[in-house]
Amino acid sequence: MAALLFLPVIAWAQAAPHAHGSEPAPSPETMSVRDLPMTRNASGTAWQPDASPHTGLHWEAAGWDFMFHGLLFGGYDRQQGPRGDDALLGVGWLMLMAEREAGAALVGARVMLSPEPFTAQHNGGYPLLLQTGETYQGEPLRDRQHPHDLFMELAVTYTQALSRDWALQLYVAPAGEPALGPVAFPHRLSAASDPLAALGHHWQDSSHISFGVLTAGIVTPLAKLEASWFNGREPDEERRDLDLRKLDSYSLRLSVNPTREVSAQVSYGFMPSHSVLHADEPLHRLTASATLHRPLGSGGLWATTAVFGRNVESEHGGSNAYLLETNLDLDGHNVVFGRAEYIQKTGHDLVLPEPLEEETFGVASLTLGYLRNFGPLGPVQPGLGLRAAVNFLPEGLESTYGSRLPVGGMVYLRLSSAPSERTGHGGSHSSSPSSHSLQISSPGP
Ligand SMILES: [Cu+2]
């Protein structure tokens, strides 16, 4: 496995990454569906604004275009109080993609792996106050974030242009992301400096690792309408296998990119047997999100995302999660970031004893952080960061958490793919973002 992940680095040494020209970028209103920029594609089949940096390594071999990129964090996490803990942990992902033209179509394949089963598995996940979702040793996880599975994505993509303005997109994934929710937090540029998960993950984007996904979408330069048929069961505790199961769930998502700097989506999903522990309890999920990417001066980018997520379960009723996060990369080296959340979690979610178990608690958190990037060193941009969060709890949770304002923090090293433009190699690639007439691959942070 390690050898597989290092292959692209060897390939990088042999092939210089593309450098892209600075021709004015086309806007979604005037472009053809054949010219969708590859920067638009984020996790799974989700869209982000076109105004996103090219990152990672690109090379060609055997008629295929390859791309490799990733985002890794390692550091020390400490969460305060009786429900807190501390840990050394590593989180993130590495992704290898290949694509080629086939007539009027573009075919692609992706493998995305996470080290988290090996680096964030201590006691079922890393410490994170108020986090809930999935299980450890047959019990619901609480105040910990579960590790992502080793196989975050194994997918094949197929995009066929039907005319200047219309294309058909298919996505087949033994492990991957159905058309439900915003770009998943590990892939959002607005969250790219923050190693820790959003507390509303399981209301908004937790389906990003589903074991069995079929998605079909109709694409225009401005909008995409997708439907997925997928296995909606959350991953089990064995993080290194594929939890394949019958495809029992459905989702529908409408994405729009009205300008180069804006992307938004609304989506709905129905998962009749989502939970490992409560397999007979159906879950309905509704999400809406909007993302703004504003390029700044010399290599900076201001990325902001707002997300609303709502879960409706027959037993516990409906609950909402709101998120606003921003990542202000001033110049490619100095990054200030923050996240504000408000989530309705039940006593059941938080594994509280009777009678609190039946109550619903509105909890909030505010995170601020700073990341200093160095280098880049070849294809890798290293950075050192600090993240601090304060949580705001209702009175009923004070005795459980030892405070109404418990805090948490983390110091970390971040390794990300260097922006392709700034690696300083190559230099004379064509002025279009890539040589393809149709783009389906995904840069991400
Ligand atoms: Cu996740």
Side-chain angles (χ1 to χ4, degrees):
M1 191 58 69
L4 178 74
L5 293 177
F6 282 110
L7 257 180
V9 179
I10 297 162
W12 167 78
Q14 294 167 345
H18 297 174
H20 304 298
S22 52
E23 195 173 85
S27 92
E29 280 169 66
T30 57
M31 67 176 61
S32 145
V33 77
R34 293 170 183 273
D35 299 324
L36 298 188
M38 63 195 305
T39 52
R40 183 182 295 192
N41 296 288
S43 62
T45 56
W47 276 355
Q48 65 185 0
D50 296 356
S52 304
H54 281 275
T55 63
L57 303 173
H58 306 246
W59 69 97
E60 292 174 25
W64 290 78
D65 284 354
F66 287 88
M67 182 198 254
F68 178 72
H69 61 148
L71 184 63
L72 296 170
F73 297 90
Y76 176 70
D77 164 24
R78 186 177 182 91
Q79 304 284 317
Q80 183 199 25
R83 285 200 149 197
D85 195 0
D86 64 333
L88 287 169
L89 64 95
V91 295
W93 51 269
L94 294 168
M95 184 184 219
L96 177 65
M97 292 181 294
E99 62 185 28
R100 69 178 299 162
E101 289 175 38
L106 191 63
V107 292
R110 305 179 192 173
V111 177
M112 177 163 58
L113 303 179
S114 172
E116 294 175 22
F118 311 99
T119 57
Q121 179 62 288
H122 183 63
N123 288 333
Y126 62 75
L128 183 59
L129 289 176
L130 299 171
Q131 186 60 303
T132 54
E134 303 197 5
T135 64
Y136 179 60
Q137 294 183 343
E139 299 291 329
L141 270 171
R142 51 98 186 144
D143 302 297
R144 287 186 181 273
Q145 165 65 36
H146 63 78
H148 287 115
D149 281 56
L150 171 62
F151 295 103
M152 290 181 89
E153 187 169 38
L154 296 171
V156 175
T157 54
Y158 178 87
T159 306
Q160 170 90 42
L162 304 174
S163 71
R164 183 188 180 278
D165 293 326
W166 296 89
L168 173 71
Q169 190 175 70
L170 301 173
Y171 173 88
V172 179
E177 187 177 313
L180 177 58
V183 176
F185 79 83
H187 307 281
R188 286 201 293 263
L189 286 171
S190 54
S193 305
D194 191 340
L196 303 187
L199 298 178
H201 188 35
H202 287 264
W203 279 253
Q204 296 164 348
D205 48 9
S206 65
S207 57
H208 68 112
I209 305 180
S210 294
F211 291 102
V213 181
L214 296 175
T215 300
I218 288 289
V219 185
T220 76
L222 286 170
K224 171 157 80 167
L225 181 64
E226 301 168 277
S228 293
W229 183 34
F230 66 104
N231 164 15
R233 177 72 59 82
E234 65 191 4
D236 65 19
E237 294 177 28
E238 173 47 72
R239 302 287 175 184
R240 288 165 290 184
D241 62 353
L242 299 177
D243 307 333
L244 296 172
R245 216 177 120 262
K246 68 173 187 276
L247 308 185
D248 59 353
S249 301
Y250 305 87
S251 67
L252 201 61
R253 177 168 65 192
L254 177 66
S255 306
V256 292
N257 277 33
T259 72
R260 291 194 74 243
E261 299 188 353
V262 174
S263 183
Q265 66 85 32
V266 289
S267 52
Y268 164 78
F270 173 63
M271 293 163 271
S273 182
H274 173 69
S275 164
V276 166
L277 294 178
H278 305 277
D280 53 355
E281 183 158 332
L283 172 66
H284 300 265
R285 177 170 296 166
L286 182 67
T287 84
S289 65
T291 296
L292 175 68
H293 287 177
R294 168 121 331 145
L296 301 174
S298 53
L301 181 81
W302 185 21
T304 301
T305 301
V307 187
F308 166 74
R310 176 172 175 80
N311 282 344
V312 179
E313 297 159 290
S314 47
E315 195 175 321
H316 303 288
S319 52
N320 299 334
Y322 303 85
L323 172 147
L324 180 65
E325 71 189 7
T326 195
N327 191 78
L328 178 58
D329 182 341
L330 293 164
D331 51 10
H333 286 99
N334 296 284
V335 187
V336 183
F337 62 92
R339 179 185 282 155
E341 289 193 90
Y342 175 83
I343 312 107
Q344 295 170 320
K345 299 207 175 194
T346 64
H348 179 80
D349 292 327
L350 292 164
V351 195
L352 298 175
E354 304 266 2
L356 295 176
E357 189 185 7
E358 298 308 319
E359 285 187 43
T360 296
F361 301 94
V363 300
S365 82
L366 184 63
T367 300
L368 285 173
Y370 172 73
L371 171 73
R372 168 73 200 184
N373 283 322
F374 303 96
L377 305 172
V380 178
Q381 177 113 57
L384 285 174
L386 177 69
R387 173 209 210 263
V390 56
N391 300 288
F392 302 88
L393 306 184
E395 214 177 318
L397 293 178
E398 183 171 5
S399 59
T400 307
Y401 283 86
S403 161
R404 290 186 63 183
L405 298 169
V407 299
M410 182 166 174
V411 287
Y412 58 91
L413 170 69
R414 186 186 88 140
L415 302 177
S416 70
S417 297
S420 299
E421 289 89 342
R422 264 183 280 149
T423 51
H425 297 270
S428 61
H429 190 63
S430 76
S431 59
S432 73
S434 158
S435 55
H436 285 310
S437 60
L438 255 174
Q439 297 305 331
I440 55 171
S441 66
S442 110

